[in-house]
């Protein structure tokens, strides 16, 4: 699965790990994240992420 980089702070969303702090289970692809999800490090919206 594709990883995504936050262009604001450099956080990398790894679908294999998910985002447990925000109740996103492992195996959740970036495209399936809710539109309200934001970077857990800086709060940037999904639109500020780029595939890596």
């Amino acid at each position: 699965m594709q990883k995504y980089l936050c262009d604001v702070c450099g956080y990398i969303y790894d679908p294999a790990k998910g985002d447990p702090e925000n109740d996103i289970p492992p195996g959740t692809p970036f495209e399936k994240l809710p539109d309200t999800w934001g970077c857990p490090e800086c709060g940037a919206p999904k639109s500020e992420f780029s595939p890596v």
Side-chain angles (χ1 to χ4, degrees), residues 1-5 12-16 28-31 50-52:
M1 280 190 272
Q2 181 76 50
K3 294 179 183 179
Y4 281 77
L5 171 73
I12 294 179
Y13 175 74
D14 182 351
T28 304
F30 186 80
E31 296 80 11
S50 302
V52 291

Side-chain angles (χ1 to χ4, degrees), residues 1 13-29 33-34:
M1 280 190 272
Y13 175 74
D14 182 351
K17 295 178 182 176
D19 180 9
E21 292 179 13
N22 291 299
D23 297 321
I24 306 296
T28 304
L33 292 172

Side-chain angles (χ1 to χ4, degrees), residues 18-51:
D19 180 9
E21 292 179 13
N22 291 299
D23 297 321
I24 306 296
T28 304
F30 186 80
E31 296 80 11
K32 298 286 185 184
L33 292 172
D35 291 335
T36 56
W37 182 84
C39 177
E41 296 291 321
C42 72
K46 283 177 64 177
S47 61
E48 294 295 326
F49 280 74
S50 302

